[in-house]
PDB file of all heavy atoms in Angstrom:
ATOM      1  N   ASP W  21       7.465  13.147  -8.349  1.00  0.00           N
ATOM      2  CA  ASP W  21       6.845  11.908  -8.769  1.00  0.00           C
ATOM      3  C   ASP W  21       6.649  11.912 -10.299  1.00  0.00           C
ATOM      4  O   ASP W  21       6.893  10.891 -10.981  1.00  0.00           O
ATOM      5  CB  ASP W  21       5.491  11.588  -8.091  1.00  0.00           C
ATOM      6  CG  ASP W  21       5.618  11.368  -6.581  1.00  0.00           C
ATOM      7  OD1 ASP W  21       6.716  10.962  -6.166  1.00  0.00           O
ATOM      8  OD2 ASP W  21       4.676  11.613  -5.871  1.00  0.00           O
ATOM      9  N   VAL W  22       6.107  13.014 -10.754  1.00  0.00           N
ATOM     10  CA  VAL W  22       5.805  13.093 -12.236  1.00  0.00           C
ATOM     11  C   VAL W  22       7.132  12.994 -12.988  1.00  0.00           C
ATOM     12  O   VAL W  22       7.252  12.357 -14.031  1.00  0.00           O
ATOM     13  CB  VAL W  22       5.038  14.429 -12.513  1.00  0.00           C
ATOM     14  CG1 VAL W  22       4.930  14.635 -14.028  1.00  0.00           C
ATOM     15  CG2 VAL W  22       3.730  14.388 -11.882  1.00  0.00           C
ATOM     16  N   ALA W  23       8.214  13.686 -12.507  1.00  0.00           N
ATOM     17  CA  ALA W  23       9.455  13.665 -13.088  1.00  0.00           C
ATOM     18  C   ALA W  23      10.016  12.249 -13.179  1.00  0.00           C
ATOM     19  O   ALA W  23      10.602  11.839 -14.279  1.00  0.00           O
ATOM     20  CB  ALA W  23      10.460  14.570 -12.333  1.00  0.00           C
ATOM     21  N   GLU W  24       9.780  11.467 -12.140  1.00  0.00           N
ATOM     22  CA  GLU W  24      10.236  10.080 -12.149  1.00  0.00           C
ATOM     23  C   GLU W  24       9.469   9.288 -13.227  1.00  0.00           C
ATOM     24  O   GLU W  24      10.134   8.498 -13.907  1.00  0.00           O
ATOM     25  CB  GLU W  24      10.050   9.442 -10.772  1.00  0.00           C
ATOM     26  CG  GLU W  24      10.603   8.102 -10.649  1.00  0.00           C
ATOM     27  CD  GLU W  24      10.545   7.538  -9.172  1.00  0.00           C
ATOM     28  OE1 GLU W  24      10.608   8.311  -8.249  1.00  0.00           O
ATOM     29  OE2 GLU W  24      10.260   6.320  -9.095  1.00  0.00           O
ATOM     30  N   VAL W  25       8.198   9.426 -13.279  1.00  0.00           N
ATOM     31  CA  VAL W  25       7.389   8.751 -14.243  1.00  0.00           C
ATOM     32  C   VAL W  25       7.817   9.039 -15.707  1.00  0.00           C
ATOM     33  O   VAL W  25       7.937   8.110 -16.566  1.00  0.00           O
ATOM     34  CB  VAL W  25       5.851   9.009 -14.066  1.00  0.00           C
ATOM     35  CG1 VAL W  25       5.054   8.430 -15.236  1.00  0.00           C
ATOM     36  CG2 VAL W  25       5.394   8.420 -12.762  1.00  0.00           C
ATOM     37  N   LEU W  26       8.074  10.305 -15.928  1.00  0.00           N
ATOM     38  CA  LEU W  26       8.394  10.804 -17.320  1.00  0.00           C
ATOM     39  C   LEU W  26       9.869  10.697 -17.575  1.00  0.00           C
ATOM     40  O   LEU W  26      10.280  11.040 -18.683  1.00  0.00           O
ATOM     41  CB  LEU W  26       7.861  12.182 -17.514  1.00  0.00           C
ATOM     42  CG  LEU W  26       6.322  12.391 -17.453  1.00  0.00           C
ATOM     43  CD1 LEU W  26       6.034  13.878 -17.576  1.00  0.00           C
ATOM     44  CD2 LEU W  26       5.615  11.576 -18.478  1.00  0.00           C
ATOM     45  N   SER W  27      10.710  10.363 -16.674  1.00  0.00           N
ATOM     46  CA  SER W  27      12.134  10.382 -16.797  1.00  0.00           C
ATOM     47  C   SER W  27      12.656  11.779 -17.178  1.00  0.00           C
ATOM     48  O   SER W  27      13.460  11.951 -18.088  1.00  0.00           O
ATOM     49  CB  SER W  27      12.599   9.362 -17.810  1.00  0.00           C
ATOM     50  OG  SER W  27      12.249   8.021 -17.363  1.00  0.00           O
ATOM     51  N   LEU W  28      12.178  12.735 -16.423  1.00  0.00           N
ATOM     52  CA  LEU W  28      12.612  14.129 -16.619  1.00  0.00           C
ATOM     53  C   LEU W  28      13.124  14.644 -15.248  1.00  0.00           C
ATOM     54  O   LEU W  28      13.016  13.930 -14.246  1.00  0.00           O
ATOM     55  CB  LEU W  28      11.419  14.991 -17.069  1.00  0.00           C
ATOM     56  CG  LEU W  28      10.791  14.646 -18.427  1.00  0.00           C
ATOM     57  CD1 LEU W  28       9.550  15.544 -18.507  1.00  0.00           C
ATOM     58  CD2 LEU W  28      11.720  14.922 -19.498  1.00  0.00           C
ATOM     59  N   VAL W  33       9.642  19.346 -15.448  1.00  0.00           N
ATOM     60  CA  VAL W  33       8.249  19.178 -15.198  1.00  0.00           C
ATOM     61  C   VAL W  33       7.562  20.496 -14.746  1.00  0.00           C
ATOM     62  O   VAL W  33       6.508  20.833 -15.208  1.00  0.00           O
ATOM     63  CB  VAL W  33       8.008  18.076 -14.112  1.00  0.00           C
ATOM     64  CG1 VAL W  33       6.477  18.042 -13.730  1.00  0.00           C
ATOM     65  CG2 VAL W  33       8.434  16.713 -14.659  1.00  0.00           C
ATOM     66  N   LEU W  36       6.901  22.496 -17.787  1.00  0.00           N
ATOM     67  CA  LEU W  36       5.698  22.033 -18.435  1.00  0.00           C
ATOM     68  C   LEU W  36       4.428  22.573 -17.736  1.00  0.00           C
ATOM     69  O   LEU W  36       3.455  22.960 -18.388  1.00  0.00           O
ATOM     70  CB  LEU W  36       5.651  20.506 -18.494  1.00  0.00           C
ATOM     71  CG  LEU W  36       6.621  19.780 -19.389  1.00  0.00           C
ATOM     72  CD1 LEU W  36       6.599  18.246 -19.135  1.00  0.00           C
ATOM     73  CD2 LEU W  36       6.291  20.089 -20.848  1.00  0.00           C
ATOM     74  N   LEU W  42       1.154  20.921 -19.112  1.00  0.00           N
ATOM     75  CA  LEU W  42       0.778  19.887 -18.124  1.00  0.00           C
ATOM     76  C   LEU W  42      -0.119  20.499 -17.064  1.00  0.00           C
ATOM     77  O   LEU W  42       0.427  21.278 -16.207  1.00  0.00           O
ATOM     78  CB  LEU W  42       2.033  19.219 -17.559  1.00  0.00           C
ATOM     79  CG  LEU W  42       1.820  18.166 -16.466  1.00  0.00           C
ATOM     80  CD1 LEU W  42       0.975  16.985 -17.057  1.00  0.00           C
ATOM     81  CD2 LEU W  42       3.046  17.648 -15.890  1.00  0.00           C
ATOM     82  N   LEU W  60      -2.071  13.179 -15.771  1.00  0.00           N
ATOM     83  CA  LEU W  60      -0.751  12.720 -16.294  1.00  0.00           C
ATOM     84  C   LEU W  60      -0.947  11.652 -17.315  1.00  0.00           C
ATOM     85  O   LEU W  60      -0.327  11.687 -18.371  1.00  0.00           O
ATOM     86  CB  LEU W  60       0.102  12.191 -15.086  1.00  0.00           C
ATOM     87  CG  LEU W  60       1.469  11.649 -15.538  1.00  0.00           C
ATOM     88  CD1 LEU W  60       2.306  12.748 -16.259  1.00  0.00           C
ATOM     89  CD2 LEU W  60       2.202  11.081 -14.310  1.00  0.00           C
ATOM     90  N   PHE W  63      -2.044  13.352 -20.449  1.00  0.00           N
ATOM     91  CA  PHE W  63      -0.931  14.072 -20.999  1.00  0.00           C
ATOM     92  C   PHE W  63      -0.069  13.121 -21.817  1.00  0.00           C
ATOM     93  O   PHE W  63       0.324  13.341 -22.948  1.00  0.00           O
ATOM     94  CB  PHE W  63      -0.129  14.683 -19.908  1.00  0.00           C
ATOM     95  CG  PHE W  63       1.145  15.347 -20.340  1.00  0.00           C
ATOM     96  CD1 PHE W  63       1.152  16.598 -20.881  1.00  0.00           C
ATOM     97  CD2 PHE W  63       2.338  14.667 -20.124  1.00  0.00           C
ATOM     98  CE1 PHE W  63       2.333  17.170 -21.343  1.00  0.00           C
ATOM     99  CE2 PHE W  63       3.551  15.260 -20.557  1.00  0.00           C
ATOM    100  CZ  PHE W  63       3.517  16.543 -21.138  1.00  0.00           C
ATOM    101  N   ILE W  64       0.240  11.903 -21.200  1.00  0.00           N
ATOM    102  CA  ILE W  64       1.043  10.894 -21.922  1.00  0.00           C
ATOM    103  C   ILE W  64       0.348  10.446 -23.167  1.00  0.00           C
ATOM    104  O   ILE W  64       0.968  10.306 -24.251  1.00  0.00           O
ATOM    105  CB  ILE W  64       1.399   9.764 -20.971  1.00  0.00           C
ATOM    106  CG1 ILE W  64       2.263  10.198 -19.843  1.00  0.00           C
ATOM    107  CG2 ILE W  64       2.011   8.550 -21.728  1.00  0.00           C
ATOM    108  CD1 ILE W  64       2.459   9.230 -18.728  1.00  0.00           C
TER     109      ILE W  64
END
Side-chain angles (χ1 to χ4, degrees):
D21 293 336
V22 173
E24 186 176 324
V25 169
L26 297 177
S27 297
L28 298 172
V33 173
L36 289 171
L42 178 61
L60 178 59
F63 173 80
I64 293 169

